[in-house]
């Protein structure tokens, strides 16, 4: 998973000698770094203070069923927007969907405040290309050996990398998205969608309690606390699940499964499974592994709103499975 990025920055293409091939896969300049710092402060640091404010505000307005319902419902829909929409649909194209579904997923994913759609997709595709190697924007395994190196790597991959990093050239990594004009129009409204995700719970809180205190409480719990909780759940996949967990399948990076977190991550914690089969709509791969993101995709499929849902065959999964004796399996295509 990747985190927060500029909403819709499209760099000028840099062409090679033949005038057609982009020269650079990643771009770094002061303008981009300013955008990254601004986004980092607004959507990574501010929710920390917003969460602290929510607890302080309990002295003015105690939490009730409305706040709990807003926190859960907004966490659920925006979390699915990121995991099913940004990740499985737009990045990996693991299924096809109706244009109305694509738009809804783009809007809900944007409301999570974890970055503009095109930038998010480009960063995640670069992550898979360079995973746990030079060029990976958020690997925890490139900061040195020993306890100090591991702690420094976890801090970088979980949170600090978003302050400043190379920006992937979206012309190289996300040409399919920038060719879709309707989608780009939705993506360019990223900051408005984030604002909508804050105003909606504030409006509901104000209407339910008929007071400004209710509106503030709704904003805090359904908005800032929700962003804080979802962000750290998603970021833990970047950090902890590239260092700790099980590895049932061969993959060239250090991705791990953390099945105990499957529900709260919408199935994304089957991370080794995902890296082994990047085009799979199911991360759990088997029916008995909890995967709420895949449940949504199956529901959309049953309703005729999604199709061509990709799942690896049993033979393909067996070919990638690590043998119990630890000997490597010959590499196959993912």
């Amino acid at each position: 998973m990747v985190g927060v990025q500029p909403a819709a920055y499209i760099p000028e293409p840099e062409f090679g000698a033949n005038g057609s091939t982009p020269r650079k896969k990643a771009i770094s300049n002061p303008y981009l770094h300013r955008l990254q710092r601004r986004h980092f402060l607004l959507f990574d640091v501010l929710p920390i203070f917003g969460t602290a404010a929510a607890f302080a505000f309990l002295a003015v307005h105690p939490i009730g069923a409305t706040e709990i319902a807003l926190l859960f419902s907004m966490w659920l829909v925006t979390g699915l927007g990121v995991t099913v929409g940004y990740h499985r649909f737009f990045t990996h194209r693991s299924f096809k969907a109706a244009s109305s579904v694509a738009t809804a997923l783009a809007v809900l994913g944007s409301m999570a405040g974890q970055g503009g759609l095109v930038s998010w997709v480009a960063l995640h595709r670069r992550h898979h290309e360079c995973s746990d190697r030079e060029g990976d924007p958020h690997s925890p395994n490139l900061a040195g050996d020993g306890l100090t190196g591991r702690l420094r790597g976890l801090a970088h991959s979980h949170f600090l990398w978003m302050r400043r990093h190379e920006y992937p050239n979206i012309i190289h990594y996300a040409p399919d998205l920038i060719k879709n004009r309707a989608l780009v129009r939705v993506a360019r409204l990223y900051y408005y969608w984030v604002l909508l995700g804050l105003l909606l719970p504030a409006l509901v809180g104000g209407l339910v309690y008929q007071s400004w205190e209710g509106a503030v409480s709704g904003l805090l719990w359904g908005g800032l606390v929700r962003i804080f909780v979802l962000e750290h759940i998603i970021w833990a996949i970047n950090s902890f699940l590239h260092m700790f967990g099980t590895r049932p399948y061969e993959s060239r990076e250090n991705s791990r499964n953390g099945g105990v977190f499957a529900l709260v991550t919408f199935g994304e914690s089957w991370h080794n499974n995902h890296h082994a089969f990047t085009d799979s709509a199911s991360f759990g791969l088997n029916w008995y592994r909890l995967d709420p993101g895949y449940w949504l995709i199956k529901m959309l499929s049953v309703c005729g709103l999604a199709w061509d849902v990709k799942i690896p065959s049993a033979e393909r999964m067996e070919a990638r499975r690590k043998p119990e004796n630890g000997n490597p399996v010959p590499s196959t295509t993912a």
Side-chain angles (χ1 to χ4, degrees):
M1 282 294 163
V2 288
V4 295
Q5 305 310 324
Y9 174 70
I10 300 179
E12 292 296 325
E14 299 189 33
F15 296 105
N18 61 6
S20 60
T21 305
R23 239 182 235 151
K24 293 183 178 180
K25 290 185 177 182
I27 302 164
S28 184
N29 61 52
Y31 172 68
L32 282 172
H33 296 157
R34 285 196 298 272
L35 290 178
Q36 289 161 358
R37 283 195 300 271
R38 182 180 70 183
H39 198 291
F40 178 73
L41 292 172
L42 284 175
F43 301 120
D44 301 337
V45 175
L46 182 60
I48 298 174
F49 290 99
T51 300
F55 284 98
F57 197 67
L58 293 177
V60 176
H61 184 90
I63 191 171
T66 299
E67 287 83 1
I68 295 172
L70 285 171
L71 173 60
F72 177 78
S73 60
M74 292 298 294
W75 165 80
L76 180 65
V77 297
T78 59
L80 289 171
V82 171
T83 59
V84 174
Y86 271 32
H87 194 199
R88 306 191 201 198
F89 180 66
F90 291 111
T91 301
H92 295 293
R93 298 298 188 185
S94 62
F95 64 99
K96 296 179 182 177
S99 58
S100 57
V101 172
T103 299
L105 290 173
V107 170
L108 292 174
S110 298
M111 288 167 64
Q114 296 188 19
L117 173 60
V118 178
S119 299
W120 200 104
V121 168
L123 272 159
H124 194 68
R125 288 175 178 175
R126 181 165 175 81
H127 162 64
H128 275 271
E129 179 184 71
C130 307
S131 189
D132 285 325
R133 298 179 297 172
E134 191 66 32
D136 186 344
H138 48 68
S139 172
N141 298 306
L142 303 176
D145 299 323
L147 179 61
T148 301
R150 289 168 74 85
L151 291 175
R152 187 164 53 240
L154 283 172
H156 166 79
S157 63
H158 188 80
F159 188 68
L160 298 179
W161 72 275
M162 292 172 282
R163 296 175 302 172
R164 175 184 171 132
H165 57 85
E166 287 189 323
Y167 183 83
N169 189 338
I170 65 171
I171 296 170
H172 174 79
Y173 286 104
D176 52 325
L177 298 189
I178 61 178
K179 290 176 182 177
N180 187 329
R181 294 185 178 182
L183 185 62
V184 168
R185 283 195 295 270
V186 173
R188 285 191 181 277
L189 298 174
Y190 166 67
Y191 287 102
Y192 293 98
W193 301 130
V194 176
L195 182 61
L196 179 64
L198 296 172
L199 293 180
L200 280 177
L203 177 62
V204 172
L207 290 175
V208 170
Y209 289 109
Q210 293 291 299
S211 68
W212 69 267
E213 294 97 333
V216 172
S217 188
L219 169 66
L220 290 172
W221 290 99
L224 294 173
V225 176
R226 177 262 306 173
I227 290 176
F228 172 83
V229 170
L230 181 61
E231 282 178 338
H232 286 276
I233 288 173
I234 298 299
W235 297 343
I237 298 167
N238 293 344
S239 54
F240 292 99
L241 292 184
H242 273 262
M243 191 173 284
F244 307 105
T246 60
R247 298 191 70 211
Y249 293 103
E250 285 290 340
S251 57
R252 60 175 173 76
E253 78 303 304
N254 200 39
S255 60
R256 307 288 178 128
N257 283 346
V260 68
F261 306 111
L263 277 180
V264 296
T265 62
F266 307 97
E268 301 282 317
S269 67
W270 303 110
H271 200 51
N272 175 251
N273 296 0
H274 167 56
H275 270 270
F277 308 101
T278 56
D279 60 345
S280 176
S282 169
F283 287 7
L285 298 179
N286 300 102
W287 65 268
Y288 52 84
R289 293 195 179 99
L290 301 175
D291 189 350
Y294 182 59
W295 300 343
L296 174 60
I297 295 169
K298 285 294 291 182
M299 184 178 71
L300 292 171
S301 177
V302 169
C303 295
L305 296 173
W307 57 92
D308 289 350
V309 179
K310 299 175 184 175
I311 303 292
S313 65
E315 294 77 14
R316 186 179 169 206
M317 287 191 286
E318 189 60 32
R320 294 299 296 268
R321 189 176 298 277
K322 292 179 64 176
E324 292 184 6
N325 62 13
N327 293 328
V329 173
S331 62
T332 58
T333 56

